[in-house]
């Protein structure tokens, strides 16, 4: 997997980048993967994403596998990163924590609405 594609498309590598962890540093990969899978479990329970659920095991899992052609749920990347950040490296101030929790709450609501809406609206192209 070329470096420029790996960071952009790999769920693990892009999450590490957003957490400001070098892609070659793998000491926390298990912790991050566990957090990512927790976020995917939350999304599944909220009715967002693949019907059968989704989880990753390593850096080969891609965002396109979760999102597919449903670009209306592209915010899932932000949701996963924020959720993992809270589990992995939460802010020390109560204001920072509250701000992230509010973003997560809004994102999960928006993702649920967008995912539901995308399946109700037929594709206008023949």
């Amino acid at each position: 997997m070329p470096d420029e594609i790996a960071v952009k498309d790999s769920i693990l590598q892009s999450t590490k980048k957003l957490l400001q962890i070098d892609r070659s540093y793998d000491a926390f990969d298990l912790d991050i993967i566990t957090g990512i899978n927790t976020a995917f479990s939350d999304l599944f329970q909220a009715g967002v994403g693949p019907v059968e659920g989704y989880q990753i095991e390593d850096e080969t899992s891609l965002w396109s596998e979760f999102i597919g052609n449903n670009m209306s749920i592209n915010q899932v990347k932000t949701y996963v990163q924020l959720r993992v950040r809270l589990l992995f490296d939460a802010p020390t101030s109560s204001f920072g924590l509250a701000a992230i929790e509010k973003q997560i709450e809004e994102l999960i609501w928006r993702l649920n609405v967008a995912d539901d809406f995308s399946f109700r609206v037929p594709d206008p192209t023949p």
Side-chain angles (χ1 to χ4, degrees):
M1 199 179 305
D3 285 348
E4 65 276 358
I5 294 174
V7 172
K8 179 180 157 194
D9 295 334
S10 167
I11 296 169
L12 176 59
Q13 291 300 336
S14 63
T15 303
K16 284 172 68 171
K17 180 169 177 25
L18 292 170
L19 292 171
Q20 299 179 350
I21 297 173
D22 187 84
R23 63 174 285 125
S24 63
Y25 189 72
D26 62 2
F28 296 114
D29 281 7
L30 179 59
D31 304 85
I32 296 168
I33 288 169
T34 302
I36 290 168
N37 287 335
T38 297
F40 282 137
S41 179
D42 292 347
L43 290 165
F44 173 76
Q45 291 176 5
V48 178
V51 176
E52 66 279 359
Y54 189 81
Q55 70 177 20
I56 73 166
E57 294 180 13
D58 55 32
E59 70 178 21
T60 62
S61 298
L62 305 176
W63 284 112
S64 59
E65 295 170 354
F66 183 85
I67 296 171
N69 293 328
N70 190 356
M71 291 299 131
S72 66
I73 63 167
N74 215 13
Q75 294 173 332
V76 83
K77 297 174 185 178
T78 303
Y79 175 83
V80 169
Q81 184 267 330
L82 288 171
R83 189 75 172 90
V84 171
R85 182 168 178 217
L86 275 186
L87 294 170
F88 182 75
D89 185 26
T92 55
S93 78
S94 60
F95 298 110
L97 185 62
I100 290 176
E101 288 173 339
K102 184 167 176 56
Q103 283 180 311
I104 288 171
E105 187 178 307
E106 182 175 338
L107 280 168
I108 196 79
W109 181 84
R110 288 180 180 274
L111 284 163
N112 184 283
V113 169
D115 196 45
D116 286 349
F117 184 71
S118 68
F119 289 112
R120 287 183 288 165
V121 178
D123 186 358
T125 57

